[in-house]
Amino acid sequence: MITARAHTNIAFLKYWGKKDVKLILPYNDSISLTLDRFYTDTSVDFDQSLDHDEIFVDEKPLTGSGVKRVKNVLDLVRHLSGISNFAKVQSTNHVPSTAGLASSASAFAALAAASTKAAGLNLSNRQLSIIARHGSGSASRSIFGGFVQWHAGHDDQSSYAEPIQENVDWDINLITVLINTAQKKVSSTNGMQSVVETSPFYPAWVKNAQADVKPMKTAILNQNLATLGELAEQSAMRMHATTFGAVPSFTYFQPQTLAILSAVRNMRKQGVECYSTVDAGPNVKIICASSDNEFIMHELNQIVSAKQLVVCKPGPGITYL
Ligand code: DP6
């Protein structure tokens, strides 16, 4: 049995839409930061006494659409290794219980790493990234630590992530604002597919996202927080704009999402370098320098409680436990 740990990542330049739904090939490159605070530990054992794959997440049998995705990854690993045994998979998410952040990124990255090693394969991180991508697109980036770029590519082998900078020597922080929601969520998979098929804003999204890759990489390498933050906030706002144009229209924003976005803009007007990003949910993540944490947390405390705030720093890539 092999256990691997993968940390979740937050995209600064978003992946939003597939040009190949089966292979999970995105329309545009994306750029993310792997985080230190949220991670998944996954153990895999290919056991000849099993007559089906047994999959447990947080000690409960996995149900729903996740089962097919896990089996896709396991089938791929069986194909590559020549193993025919079924597997026992046990996955534990280490995320705040109220977060609504349970991330497919860390889950499928950990699964790719643990299952390939358990099957006796010794693959490069690039190959692991390709396998993780078959479970969930954003998982391709969680194989690596620090700042990571996922190359969109044009086929299975050309669509993989690689580090821009694995060991981040920069006091950049990401404050996660956990906004609770009772509302039923549109999954990222369904949300992006609806946008690709129906939003007239989608072609503009792809064009602008791809154009932002180079300037964002330069901003990262120059540790230019203002440019990185502005590009990241733009990417998030443009991604969410596509959802308003979809038919039927939808949004991930909730009232508190807008309140936080506005508070961040106001702090910027006061000269604090802080920028927002939002994924397929209501939570806002604030990009800032650690020296501004205290001020920002104090301001945010007027909208949300202190326990809704989690400060993250750059995190590592795949490790085996
Ligand atoms: C908004 O990777 O969850 O977080 O490939 O369908 O599993 P699937 O989607 P997923 O989408 C992530 C979308 C995003 C942006 C991002 O992480 O780049």
Side-chain angles (χ1 to χ4, degrees):
M1 189 182 77
I2 299 288
T3 304
R5 173 173 295 177
H7 288 71
T8 195
N9 72 77
I10 295 296
F12 285 15
L13 184 57
K14 305 292 183 195
Y15 145 53
W16 193 238
K18 299 174 180 72
K19 64 184 172 206
D20 186 320
V21 173
K22 199 165 174 290
L23 287 177
I24 313 197
L25 303 181
Y27 271 101
N28 59 271
D29 288 24
S30 52
I31 294 176
S32 59
L33 180 66
T34 301
L35 303 181
D36 62 342
R37 288 290 294 272
F38 309 129
Y39 58 90
T40 303
D41 290 339
T42 299
S43 305
V44 178
D45 187 11
F46 288 97
D47 181 344
Q48 61 178 20
S49 70
L50 297 175
D51 59 5
H52 65 283
D53 290 320
E54 290 184 1
I55 308 157
F56 297 89
V57 174
D58 297 329
E59 289 174 4
K60 291 191 204 81
L62 182 65
T63 54
S65 62
V67 176
K68 193 166 171 284
R69 288 173 176 237
V70 172
K71 287 186 176 185
N72 280 348
V73 172
L74 293 174
D75 285 344
L76 185 59
V77 172
R78 278 188 279 256
H79 173 75
L80 289 171
S81 64
I83 278 188
S84 55
N85 293 347
F86 289 106
K88 180 163 186 177
V89 177
Q90 287 165 291
S91 192
T92 311
N93 289 308
H94 296 264
V95 293
S97 55
T98 53
L101 281 174
S103 172
S104 60
S106 52
F108 283 102
L111 178 67
S115 60
T116 50
K117 220 181 189 58
L121 296 167
N122 199 2
L123 302 181
S124 66
N125 279 348
R126 178 176 296 185
Q127 287 304 318
L128 290 184
S129 171
I130 291 171
I131 292 170
R133 195 199 75 229
H134 281 263
S136 182
S138 53
S140 66
R141 298 184 308 239
S142 270
I143 297 295
F144 302 99
F147 288 104
V148 180
Q149 175 178 7
W150 174 15
H151 301 279
H154 55 270
D155 60 10
D156 187 39
Q157 291 299 309
S158 60
S159 186
Y160 56 82
E162 70 181 349
I164 296 171
Q165 191 173 68
E166 280 235 73
N167 300 309
V168 181
D169 171 27
W170 188 7
D171 77 339
I172 190 165
N173 278 8
L174 200 112
I175 304 175
T176 305
V177 187
L178 309 171
I179 295 169
N180 276 328
T181 167
Q183 233 171 289
K184 200 176 174 293
K185 286 187 285 179
V186 181
S187 70
S188 39
T189 309
N190 293 340
M192 68 174 81
Q193 194 51 27
S194 155
V195 159
V196 169
E197 287 166 9
T198 68
S199 180
F201 307 152
Y202 192 68
W205 157 264
V206 176
K207 189 163 160 254
N208 287 290
Q210 203 56 44
D212 282 348
V213 173
K214 217 170 155 213
M216 189 176 280
K217 277 174 83 169
T218 307
I220 289 167
L221 294 172
N222 292 336
Q223 303 195 343
N224 185 335
L225 185 61
T227 304
L228 176 61
E230 271 162 26
L231 289 171
E233 191 168 304
Q234 250 171 41
S235 175
M237 293 308 116
R238 287 173 181 172
M239 173 197 133
H240 287 274
T242 65
T243 73
F244 288 99
V247 184
S249 171
F250 65 101
T251 182
Y252 293 105
F253 289 174
Q254 295 205 356
Q256 277 199 329
T257 312
L258 295 172
I260 302 284
L261 291 177
S262 155
V264 168
R265 280 190 210 106
N266 283 338
M267 285 187 269
R268 252 194 337 255
K269 274 194 201 127
Q270 296 172 53
V272 182
E273 279 192 330
C274 55
Y275 306 87
S276 302
T277 184
V278 187
D279 286 317
N283 300 319
V284 182
K285 292 102 185 178
I286 298 165
I287 305 159
C288 62
S290 61
S291 50
D292 287 325
N293 267 350
E294 212 177 312
F295 177 83
I296 295 169
M297 306 269 272
H298 179 263
E299 293 294 299
L300 295 176
N301 247 317
Q302 296 174 27
I303 306 170
V304 294
S305 70
K307 63 178 196 299
Q308 288 172 269
L309 303 172
V310 182
V311 179
C312 299
K313 294 180 186 307
I318 282 289
T319 50
Y320 295 93
L321 305 179

